[in-house]
Amino acid sequence: MKKYILTVISLIFSISTYAQQPIPSEFFGLEYDKSYSLQEIISHIGENGIYSKTVDTIMYNRQLSGHIFENVTYNGREYPCMCIFTFTSDILHIKSNAFGGATFSFTNENIPEKQSLDSIYNELSSDLSSKYTMIDIPDPITNTIGKVSEISEGDNGIVKLRYQKVASNGIVTLEYMSLIMSFANIVNTILPTIQDTFFGLKIGSHQTISTIKSAVGYKGTFLNEEKESYSNRLTFKDIMFAGKTWDFGTFSLTENGELYNLSVNISLTDYKSDDQKEADKTYESFKTRLAEKYGEAKEGIDDEGKFVGYIGNNGIGLSLSKQRSKSKGGDYRLYVTLNYYSFEIYQRLFNQSNDEL
């Protein structure tokens, strides 16, 4: 799963091994991805800024909220406005109320005397470019110019500078954000909403063997239940899903009954030409259908076969693969698999297993 997350991030930002100055990972003692109450945030800012009690908490998107501070001093520079962002809910391994980043802003109404937005942008641009490797990110549609830092090994954050040139209401923003916050922004802007409910069962909801059997009904035959590390796996055979009858379908539940994964697959012999054609046909057919619904996805290839993957803005991941691997019986077979899963629950189980190492 981490492979798909890193693939999306690397497609948006360049990954570099160039030795640049490390990008800050804390502000006023607030560390990325650690949870803080509002009072703790105010305490950390201290005399470096004034908390704006007249401005309500800003809902930046469904995953991020912001707290406004005025007349802020940071790294020897004065900013008229700063917004501290925190997560409103768990995302990946990050807990709610975790610090995600800070945005400093200048508008036509609050720029210092004898300065302009152009001069402020140019000054900040020169300063950032002397410290980091910056990439231009112009947006002619919104009349915005800007730069974003490359990600180097060891960085857990990025820096972004933007200047929207609007005569009456221009704005310059300087953003420092964690990679997780960057990912959350990507999720809410360019990623599709992946289907999360199947057979009337929503991924993330609490289920039992009985409720799953009842939901599948005549569309599949219950085969067995297997206990796995931190979860239970229910397998059905000849399951009807997405207009096709698959050889097997599995539902994975956490120990407390959270449904976090649904997977269906067909199993074919590795050496028969008809089976190879069937595997290709099924894979290509569903790849086309997914592209029509969620957009084109870059195809990956590994030693076992090929796959496409999607990340949803609702925390749902989706993958389609055609791979050659060894069956429980010991012989090699071709498998075409369609898989839906919850990021947050999968990450939680992954962390739980690592905690025992």
Side-chain angles (χ1 to χ4, degrees), residues 50 79 92 114 118 136 154-155 185 189 245 267 288 290 305 307 336:
I50 302 171
Y79 298 90
L92 303 181
K114 296 182 180 181
D118 289 272
D136 289 325
D155 284 335
N185 288 338
T189 55
T245 298
S267 173
T288 298
L290 292 176
F307 57 88
V336 178

Side-chain angles (χ1 to χ4, degrees), residues 173-220:
T173 57
L174 172 60
E175 301 177 359
Y176 293 87
M177 61 183 75
S178 71
L179 289 183
I180 297 298
M181 178 173 165
S182 303
F183 176 69
N185 288 338
I186 295 169
V187 163
N188 281 277
T189 55
I190 69 170
L191 301 183
T193 301
I194 303 296
Q195 184 174 338
D196 64 358
T197 302
F198 312 92
F199 303 99
L201 306 172
K202 185 173 182 177
I203 290 182
S205 64
H206 285 78
Q207 303 295 334
T208 65
I209 297 177
S210 296
T211 59
I212 293 176
K213 283 183 177 180
S214 177
V216 174
Y218 69 90
K219 294 184 177 180

Side-chain angles (χ1 to χ4, degrees), residues 244-255:
K244 179 179 179 62
T245 298
W246 303 78
D247 293 331
F248 301 100
T250 61
F251 297 77
S252 295
L253 303 172
T254 64
E255 290 178 314

Side-chain angles (χ1 to χ4, degrees), residues 222-284:
F222 179 69
L223 190 60
N224 59 35
E225 175 190 6
E226 295 178 275
K227 296 285 187 180
E228 298 184 331
S229 298
Y230 314 112
S231 65
N232 293 335
R233 176 173 170 155
L234 310 180
T235 301
F236 293 78
K237 65 178 182 178
D238 302 327
I239 189 166
M240 290 182 281
F241 178 77
K244 179 179 179 62
T245 298
W246 303 78
D247 293 331
F248 301 100
T250 61
F251 297 77
S252 295
L253 303 172
T254 64
E255 290 178 314
N256 66 354
E258 293 172 286
L259 175 64
Y260 72 93
N261 176 262
L262 165 64
S263 178
V264 292
N265 68 68
I266 57 172
S267 173
L268 301 162
T269 57
D270 180 40
Y271 55 88
K272 291 182 180 179
S273 60
D274 287 347
D275 279 7
Q276 292 172 352
K277 290 178 182 178
E278 176 64 19
D280 287 334
K281 179 182 177 182
T282 301
Y283 175 81
E284 294 298 331

Side-chain angles (χ1 to χ4, degrees), residues 79-97:
Y79 298 90
C81 182
M82 176 185 73
C83 186
I84 294 290
F85 288 104
T86 56
F87 293 97
T88 58
S89 60
D90 293 356
I91 178 171
L92 303 181
H93 63 285
I94 306 303
K95 297 299 183 182
S96 61
N97 296 320

Side-chain angles (χ1 to χ4, degrees), residues 40-201:
E40 287 175 324
I41 292 173
I42 294 173
S43 176
H44 274 272
I45 304 300
E47 297 181 353
N48 294 298
I50 302 171
Y51 175 62
S52 179
K53 297 180 180 179
T54 60
V55 180
D56 291 335
T57 298
I58 298 174
M59 295 306 297
Y60 187 72
N61 55 42
R62 72 185 186 90
Q63 292 172 324
L64 294 166
S65 62
H67 309 291
I68 302 297
F69 291 79
E70 299 173 343
N71 301 324
V72 176
T73 300
Y74 175 69
N75 272 356
R77 185 187 296 272
E78 294 184 359
Y79 298 90
C81 182
M82 176 185 73
C83 186
I84 294 290
F85 288 104
T86 56
F87 293 97
T88 58
S89 60
D90 293 356
I91 178 171
L92 303 181
H93 63 285
I94 306 303
K95 297 299 183 182
S96 61
N97 296 320
F99 173 56
T103 295
F104 304 92
S105 60
F106 297 87
T107 65
N108 288 323
E109 287 75 26
N110 62 19
I111 56 178
E113 188 178 355
K114 296 182 180 181
Q115 283 194 294
S116 66
L117 292 180
D118 289 272
S119 66
I120 291 171
Y121 175 81
N122 291 333
E123 185 178 339
L124 289 172
S125 177
S126 176
D127 181 47
L128 293 173
S129 296
S130 69
K131 298 176 181 177
Y132 318 115
T133 303
M134 304 295 291
I135 306 168
D136 289 325
I137 48 170
D139 185 355
I141 296 178
T142 60
N143 196 26
T144 300
I145 58 175
K147 297 176 180 293
V148 64
S149 61
E150 284 190 350
I151 302 173
S152 294
E153 290 185 3
D155 284 335
N156 64 350
I158 67 167
V159 183
K160 185 185 293 184
L161 176 67
R162 292 185 295 184
Y163 175 20
Q164 186 173 18
K165 296 186 175 183
V166 180
S168 60
N169 193 28
I171 184 170
V172 173
T173 57
L174 172 60
E175 301 177 359
Y176 293 87
M177 61 183 75
S178 71
L179 289 183
I180 297 298
M181 178 173 165
S182 303
F183 176 69
N185 288 338
I186 295 169
V187 163
N188 281 277
T189 55
I190 69 170
L191 301 183
T193 301
I194 303 296
Q195 184 174 338
D196 64 358
T197 302
F198 312 92
F199 303 99
L201 306 172

Side-chain angles (χ1 to χ4, degrees), residues 296-314:
E296 293 287 343
K298 184 177 180 180
E299 186 173 61
I301 298 176
D302 58 23
D303 293 339
E304 294 183 339
K306 52 188 178 180
F307 57 88
V308 291
Y310 293 86
I311 295 174
N313 59 23
N314 54 345

